[in-house]
Amino acid sequence: MSDVNTKTAEDKAKELAVLMEDGKGKDVVLIDVSQLNSWTDYFVIATVNSSAHWQGLYKDVKDYIKKNDLEIHLTNRKSPDGDDWNLIDLGVIVIHLMSEDARKFYDLEKLWHAGKIIDYKN
């Protein structure tokens, strides 16, 4: 893709969605929520199958952000040892790594249905 300085937030969100899919995240979805709130512009949602899986994807994100002028904002977790839903807050992009059960239960795609689904594969 383009030089890091010319990438838009949407470019980075698309690349992160591809990164999640390449890391075997299932049913990856990218949603533009910029018109719906003031605290982030994009959600990347992926289903993970284990603690080791989400930790591997987290490492991939950490490697990506070093080269792409992003940083992880620390979040307060409600349950520090829960693996059902892990959130990586990059400010303009928020990545949700969820177990299959949590994804069905919280149904973020339905909750944020007014957001625009973005095709990140092109």
Side-chain angles (χ1 to χ4, degrees):
M1 192 163 255
S2 54
D3 180 83
V4 69
N5 295 326
T6 60
K7 287 182 191 174
T8 65
E10 183 173 324
D11 292 336
K12 293 174 186 180
K14 287 177 178 179
E15 289 178 351
L16 284 161
V18 168
L19 188 68
M20 296 301 99
E21 194 167 84
D22 288 350
K24 306 292 186 230
K26 291 193 317 188
D27 302 320
V28 178
V29 175
L30 174 59
I31 306 174
D32 179 341
V33 293
S34 60
Q35 302 303 309
L36 306 175
N37 68 73
S38 61
W39 46 272
T40 193
D41 290 342
Y42 299 96
F43 283 166
V44 177
I45 307 167
T47 302
V48 295
N49 55 29
S50 68
S51 175
H53 189 198
W54 79 256
Q55 289 173 3
L57 289 174
Y58 182 78
K59 182 188 176 305
D60 293 343
V61 170
K62 282 177 34 178
D63 291 342
Y64 176 88
I65 67 172
K66 289 176 193 170
K67 302 172 194 149
N68 287 280
D69 196 31
L70 290 168
E71 64 180 73
I72 294 176
H73 302 268
L74 297 179
T75 58
N76 293 325
R77 293 182 57 156
K78 289 180 182 163
S79 61
D81 52 2
D83 287 334
D84 280 346
W85 185 355
N86 289 278
L87 185 130
I88 306 171
D89 182 354
L90 304 174
V92 71
I93 303 163
V94 175
I95 301 170
H96 302 268
L97 302 176
M98 307 175 84
S99 70
E100 200 165 321
D101 288 342
R103 184 121 181 225
K104 285 178 190 168
F105 182 80
Y106 292 105
D107 199 359
L108 294 182
E109 291 97 322
K110 184 176 180 183
L111 185 65
W112 292 91
H113 69 276
K116 179 183 171 204
I117 302 287
I118 295 176
D119 179 7
Y120 60 88
K121 296 180 183 184
N122 296 324

